[in-house]
Amino acid sequence: MNSDHARQRAEKRFKQEERARDSQKAMIEYEVQARATREKTARLKALRLAKEAQVQTEAPPVKQTSKRELSNWRCCYLLPKL
């Protein structure tokens, strides 16, 4: 009986230690993934802010109007209607 009881205690202790090691591994893996996610988020945020800053400093492109568009505008808005 004593040897069976001692073996059961040893197995129980071994399983507890194994669970503790597994939980440590899982926690380390979780922390690594969380750090990678934070770093990726920070990188993407920096890229987005740089792009927004660049857009704000750039002047909007000037649209070239054709002579036809100008003549249509003058006809409709500048000349009195008869």
Side-chain angles (χ1 to χ4, degrees), residues 13-73:
R13 184 175 173 137
F14 175 76
K15 287 180 183 180
Q16 286 175 340
E17 291 172 357
E18 187 177 31
R19 271 185 274 157
R21 283 190 303 272
D22 287 345
S23 65
Q24 276 184 327
K25 286 180 186 178
M27 190 61 168
I28 290 171
E29 183 178 329
Y30 172 78
E31 289 172 354
V32 167
Q33 289 177 349
R35 182 183 303 130
T37 300
R38 286 191 304 270
E39 289 172 357
K40 182 178 179 182
T41 302
R43 182 180 58 84
L44 291 173
K45 182 179 180 180
L47 289 172
R48 178 180 52 83
L49 292 175
K51 184 177 181 181
E52 288 175 358
Q54 181 183 12
V55 167
Q56 287 180 352
T57 59
E58 290 178 353
V62 177
K63 182 181 174 187
Q64 301 259 341
T65 55
S66 67
K67 289 183 181 181
R68 183 174 193 181
E69 289 175 347
L70 288 175
S71 65
N72 285 342
W73 186 78

Side-chain angles (χ1 to χ4, degrees), residues 2-16:
N2 276 342
S3 63
D4 286 341
H5 185 63
R7 187 165 45 104
Q8 288 176 351
R9 283 189 307 178
E11 286 177 2
K12 183 178 178 181
R13 184 175 173 137
F14 175 76
K15 287 180 183 180
Q16 286 175 340

